[in-house]
Amino acid sequence: MMDNPARRLGRGVTVGLGAAAVAFASAVMPIGTAAAAEPGDEVTLMTFNDFHGALGGARGLVCAVETVRSEADTSFLFSAGDNVGGSAFESAVQNDEPTIDVLNEMGVDATAIGNHEYDQGIDDLLERIEGRTEFPDLAANVTYAASGELVHEPYEVIERDGVKVAVIGAVTTKTVGKVSPVAIEGLEFGDPVDGVNAAVEELNASGEEYDVLVASYHEGGSANAEPGVAPENTDPIFDKIVEETSPEVDAIFNGDSHRTYNYNAEVPGQDGEVRPIIQTGASASFLGTVTLVTEDGEDWDVVGDPELIDATLAEAEECPTSTDVTADVTQLAQDAIDEAAVVGAEPVGSVAGDVTTSWDNTKTSYVDGTRTSDAPIENQSSTKGDNRMRHSAAGDMLADSMKWYLEQNDLTEGHEVIGFMNPGGIRAELWYDQSATGEGDGVVTYAEANSMVPFGNTLNSGEVTGTQFAQMLEEQWQRTAEGGTVDEGDEPFLAFSVSENVEYVFDSTRELDDRIVDIRINGESIDPDATYTIVTASFLFEGGDNMWALSEAANVRDSGVLDRDAFIDYLEANQDLAPDFSQRQLEMQILDGGEYDSEADIDRDPVLRIGNVESQSLGAPEIETVVVDAGEHGTFEAPYAFVEDAGRLVADVTLTDWLCVPEDTVVPLTITAVPETGTEIVTEIGTFTWTSGGAPDECATDDDDATTPPPGDGDDDATTPPAGDGDDDATTPPAAGGDDQAGDDQAGDDQSDDAAQDDSTVVTPVDDSTSGDTTADGSDSSNLARTGVSLGALITTIILVTLAGAGALVLRHRMSRR
């Protein structure tokens, strides 16, 4: 194995010298020095990514690798990162050391470093991980902030059968949001394409010979694609990888986003030339292969299309290619699995049904009114939904477990406790059906609990004000430390679960930091100035997942227990735990503010658009109806169905006869769903403001005792508008602007399975022109700042004034230090 420190020292200030050094070197020695390949030579390149300690898949992966090797003249095997971290229990419980041994034995030639390799800190990566691997760990875009020097080797040249393949590695810049800031303190993650291109220049300037050049990026596209077809990507960095990676690179391998695609893309600046782009999913599901051939001993061309080989083997299925490598890898993996099984088989709790993450509509259908996976669940340990843009039964359960643990152990410091769970931290589902180990239906084992939260974060608590907590919820819409938008390919929204004592209403079409419109703690409006105790993984208190407001929490304390162990205690104390399909948050927009104007013959009731009422977790019922109970003012309902202009499931609930509600009345609304799931969100709205003519005639009672009229009604002049009407009403703020976020992983690698779902949380501002009416002056009814109510006017509680106003803005300035 190469001596990384010596090579890093020798390279020294390569990045700092930059273009000047490259230009000088280019002037005195040849560029793109080629090795002595012969015409007709072929080389097969193999890749996999995001193995994540999937020792259960090692047997299938090595079988695929050895089969390709047996059929190829010359072959090389590369990983695109995240070999360890976020791992299956068998690997995680042994600190991923068996995984590194397996990959060594498999004959990996080099790996790009992934974000999860930094999970336990840079020293752990440099000493334990790089110290144990028998292949180079590469990253061309990570530098020390203080010196600008590269932290890792950027490239390596590997020779086999007279063919030299140079491979360059790069890691995603999203590492800064996926890893605890403490773990990567002092490091800078530069643009991966710029890092690769700089390494190409350095390699060429060095004079070191090579035949084939590979770029292995732990970064990738945002969607899956059929073989031979480019993914419908929404991530600019992937576009840059494809379009701006040096044309000298012969093949591009991807990782991080857990997608599958394999196709040939045009080489920039070289008409008619193509090169393969491959990503293989995750957890040893596929092996990517590409074959290159040279006709002149210098230029290498792709033979056909790159392929994805299914690397899964059924338990009883034998590998058709039996070699010493397949036998040794299989034995190493099985030994580790057997050792972990002793600890992992211990029962720690039980569930009454599947408790899962959110599964988007590309993976599920409703069968007999129940959300059901479209494919059978064959491998419980590696199968999950992972739509991180929607709150889930699994997330709610984990948030509840944190709150429970703090209260059980008297660690609340006298404040109301709020559990807070990031979606990327949930790495597995809890299945009701027994696994292959035969522990029994409903039984949760230590291994299964660990697999759900495998990162080994300690459970921390800290204190925030009500205003800060509101900002934490706002920061589900992701942004950088300075308040800027995250990369378009990232999930723009990460659905953080809250404990059962919290419920809130939001409107994603409003401006950033003005989307949370009502929060209630134990049914009462949140106090902006009160202190609340947040309990969550230590990772988030350090600004992980872009939780900048939480990083400002006061009196942060380490409970001394791992989040996994707190979760296990919760499971032991709550046997036969049933999945909770209720929603603790929902979206409510004012689709139409309503208007009555007798002179203009306008008579339109308000319409609320309500979404995110259904749970996307498996086993959840299909919601048919949304009910809005306004007490004495009526109960209203509407079907919950897919609406084209929203692109998702919503209920457009018309508040009929709402014009008769007395002006300046604040009306509590209770929102529930049918079938009953336990969802019961309470919020408040204000009432309609008459344009002219007072209340409609039908609002009068039989004894001519009219419903309380607006100010001025009852005068001899029935058309006199209410006082102040016609100019700016101080109680009605202007309508919020549209959503400035792109709609969509990951978390983390924390990835969602489809970046732009038809039922995602982040939606396009609604077009309510379908109402068929316009105001008296002809303006479209979607203008909520009309004489009807905007959402700001309807939310009349103090939370709107304090949380979405100056307090939140001041908080953003305070957080700008990051």
Side-chain angles (χ1 to χ4, degrees):
M1 192 176 72
M2 65 180 179
D3 184 355
N4 286 341
R7 293 189 61 179
R8 273 198 298 276
L9 182 60
R11 181 164 288 107
V13 294
T14 296
V15 172
L17 293 176
V22 171
F24 174 76
S26 301
V28 298
M29 59 184 64
I31 296 297
T33 305
E38 298 292 332
D41 280 353
E42 283 190 358
V43 60
T44 297
L45 307 175
M46 295 178 282
T47 181
F48 64 94
N49 55 272
D50 297 273
F51 186 72
H52 289 298
L55 293 175
R59 188 172 71 95
L61 182 60
V62 72
C63 177
V65 168
E66 286 295 275
T67 299
V68 171
R69 284 174 174 159
S70 70
E71 298 170 351
D73 294 334
T74 302
S75 63
F76 296 81
L77 175 63
F78 302 113
S79 166
D82 274 7
N83 299 315
V84 299
S87 298
F89 172 77
E90 294 83 1
S91 183
V93 77
Q94 299 172 78
N95 206 21
D96 282 320
E97 292 178 0
T99 289
I100 299 174
D101 295 342
V102 160
L103 297 183
N104 286 338
E105 192 65 34
M106 198 179 295
V108 173
D109 288 301
T111 184
I113 294 173
N115 54 279
H116 275 288
E117 271 75 30
Y118 296 94
D119 279 348
Q120 297 185 47
I122 181 59
D123 290 341
D124 177 76
L125 170 53
L126 294 175
E127 296 167 11
R128 182 180 66 86
I129 295 178
E130 290 193 14
R132 196 177 185 94
T133 56
E134 296 174 1
F135 46 85
D137 303 84
L138 307 173
N141 62 321
V142 184
T143 57
Y144 291 107
S147 66
E149 295 180 11
L150 285 169
V151 178
H152 311 282
E153 290 300 321
Y155 63 83
E156 183 73 10
V157 178
I158 302 117
E159 182 175 6
R160 182 168 298 119
D161 300 331
V163 177
K164 293 184 176 182
V165 174
V167 57
I168 303 170
V171 62
T172 177
T173 57
K174 303 180 185 77
T175 302
V176 297
K178 294 181 176 183
V179 175
S180 167
V182 172
I184 52 175
E185 188 174 1
L187 305 186
E188 289 188 349
F189 292 80
D191 184 290
V193 178
D194 293 347
V196 165
N197 290 344
V200 172
E201 296 285 355
E202 181 188 344
L203 173 60
N204 289 338
S206 74
E208 190 166 3
E209 292 184 343
Y210 62 89
D211 295 299
V212 174
L213 182 57
V214 173
S216 184
Y217 288 99
H218 189 69
E219 179 65 91
S222 57
N224 299 320
E226 296 297 319
V229 178
E232 293 185 3
N233 178 64
T234 60
D235 193 336
I237 191 60
F238 177 69
D239 295 337
K240 185 173 181 179
I241 287 172
V242 175
E243 298 167 4
E244 298 184 32
T245 297
S246 169
E248 295 185 46
V249 171
D250 298 298
I252 295 174
F253 299 149
N254 288 165
D256 186 54
S257 56
H258 293 200
R259 305 299 193 222
T260 53
Y261 46 80
N262 53 302
Y263 70 105
N264 288 321
E266 293 184 3
V267 178
Q270 296 186 7
D271 292 342
E273 295 294 323
V274 297
R275 61 186 174 191
I277 315 287
I278 307 175
Q279 188 177 182
T280 68
S283 301
S285 53
F286 291 95
L287 176 71
T289 66
V290 58
T291 299
L292 305 176
V293 65
T294 177
E295 299 299 336
D296 57 8
E298 295 183 4
D299 295 325
W300 293 79
D301 297 317
V302 182
V303 178
D305 290 325
E307 297 183 10
L308 287 181
I309 299 171
D310 189 341
T312 58
L313 275 181
E315 188 171 350
E317 186 179 359
E318 293 294 329
C319 176
T321 305
S322 179
T323 68
D324 289 344
V325 173
T326 57
D328 290 345
V329 167
T330 299
Q331 190 61 54
L332 277 173
Q334 191 59 51
D335 287 348
I337 290 169
D338 291 345
E339 186 171 340
V342 176
V343 176
E346 180 183 348
V348 296
S350 57
V351 292
D354 296 339
V355 186
T356 76
T357 57
S358 286
W359 288 55
D360 64 50
N361 291 339
T362 67
K363 294 181 172 183
T364 56
S365 304
Y366 286 105
V367 178
D368 297 328
T370 300
R371 198 168 187 87
T372 305
S373 172
D374 291 335
I377 308 301
E378 296 181 347
N379 187 339
Q380 291 184 354
S381 64
S382 63
T383 304
K384 64 174 181 160
D386 209 22
N387 179 7
R388 299 177 185 184
M389 294 178 64
R390 288 295 299 270
H391 304 87
S392 68
D396 289 350
M397 173 188 65
L398 288 165
D400 287 344
S401 74
M402 295 173 180
K403 179 178 186 292
W404 176 90
Y405 183 86
L406 218 64
E407 292 174 339
Q408 286 293 116
N409 290 276
D410 241 357
L411 301 173
T412 65
E413 299 296 320
H415 304 301
E416 183 69 25
V417 177
I418 297 172
F420 200 58
M421 182 66 203
N422 62 315
I426 312 171
R427 308 302 291 187
E429 319 284 27
L430 288 186
W431 302 103
Y432 177 79
D433 290 345
Q434 69 177 0
S435 68
T437 61
E439 73 278 7
D441 289 347
V443 175
V444 179
T445 65
Y446 183 98
E448 290 168 337
N450 179 85
S451 293
M452 189 168 234
V453 281
F455 293 114
N457 289 298
T458 57
L459 204 62
N460 283 12
S461 63
E463 296 169 1
V464 299
T465 64
T467 297
Q468 285 176 304
F469 179 62
Q471 185 61 29
M472 287 166 55
L473 296 180
E474 294 282 3
E475 288 173 0
Q476 293 178 103
W477 288 272
Q478 295 281 280
R479 79 287 308 278
T480 65
E482 294 74 27
T485 57
V486 295
D487 292 340
E488 290 183 26
D490 291 351
E491 293 99 337
F493 181 88
L494 288 178
F496 281 75
S497 293
V498 292
S499 49
E500 48 78 29
N501 54 329
V502 180
E503 63 184 43
Y504 63 93
V505 175
F506 65 91
D507 179 354
S508 66
T509 66
R510 293 172 67 90
E511 294 288 350
L512 190 68
D513 289 333
D514 190 29
R515 292 171 179 165
I516 303 299
V517 295
D518 197 3
I519 307 172
R520 291 172 188 255
I521 310 294
N522 293 321
E524 300 294 329
S525 293
I526 193 170
D527 182 346
D529 299 318
T531 298
Y532 298 89
T533 294
I534 305 298
V535 55
T536 190
S538 53
F539 160 74
L540 297 177
F541 281 102
E542 296 158 357
D545 274 350
N546 298 315
M547 281 288 113
W548 309 114
L550 184 56
S551 72
E552 300 289 337
N555 199 20
V556 176
R557 299 172 298 280
D558 190 333
S559 69
V561 66
L562 294 180
D563 51 2
R564 175 200 64 201
D565 294 337
F567 175 46
I568 287 174
D569 285 355
Y570 177 76
L571 290 172
E572 290 175 338
N574 294 272
Q575 298 291 324
D576 296 323
L577 192 66
D580 183 358
F581 299 127
S582 67
Q583 296 302 284
R584 298 171 183 183
Q585 59 288 302
L586 56 77
E587 177 153 25
M588 186 179 75
Q589 304 164 14
I590 307 301
L591 189 64
D592 188 326
E595 185 175 5
Y596 177 74
D597 187 330
S598 58
E599 293 182 353
D601 196 26
I602 296 173
D603 185 351
R604 195 173 66 249
D605 288 314
V607 180
L608 306 179
R609 172 160 285 180
I610 298 172
N612 289 53
V613 176
E614 85 284 11
S615 171
Q616 287 194 338
S617 294
L618 295 186
E622 181 176 16
I623 299 302
E624 300 170 355
T625 306
V626 172
V627 179
V628 177
D629 185 351
E632 64 180 295
H633 303 295
T635 299
F636 316 95
E637 63 180 52
Y640 196 63
F642 184 83
V643 173
E644 194 69 36
D645 71 341
R648 59 182 181 142
L649 296 168
V650 295
D652 290 345
V653 181
T654 301
L655 307 183
T656 54
D657 298 327
W658 199 253
L659 305 180
C660 297
V661 176
E663 190 177 22
D664 296 329
T665 302
V666 174
V667 182
L669 302 180
T670 301
I671 302 170
T672 57
V674 179
E676 170 64 39
T677 61
T679 298
E680 186 173 311
I681 303 292
V682 176
T683 189
E684 293 176 344
I685 65 171
T687 51
F688 168 81
T689 300
W690 289 271
T691 301
S692 65
D697 292 341
E698 60 266 26
C699 293
T701 62
D702 290 339
D703 58 2
D704 293 329
D705 181 15
T707 303
T708 306
D713 196 51
D715 286 349
D716 293 336
D717 182 0
T719 64
T720 303
D725 198 86
D727 55 13
D728 294 337
D729 186 343
T731 65
T732 306
D739 190 347
D740 60 358
Q741 296 287 321
D744 172 279
D745 45 181
Q746 49 131 84
D749 67 299
D750 305 336
Q751 313 294 322
S752 63
D753 284 346
D754 199 320
Q757 297 304 325
D758 60 7
D759 50 6
S760 65
T761 296
V762 183
V763 299
T764 305
V766 294
D767 175 3
D768 56 336
S769 58
T770 55
S771 63
D773 290 321
T774 58
T775 60
D777 63 3
S779 62
D780 192 289
S781 62
S782 67
N783 182 353
L784 302 184
R786 212 175 44 238
T787 53
V789 281
S790 73
L791 187 56
L794 295 180
I795 306 301
T796 59
T797 64
I798 189 169
I799 185 60
L800 176 62
V801 178
T802 308
L803 291 182
L809 292 176
V810 169
L811 181 59
R812 292 306 310 147
H813 288 297
R814 288 178 57 205
M815 293 186 294
S816 66
R817 69 174 184 83
R818 286 185 171 269

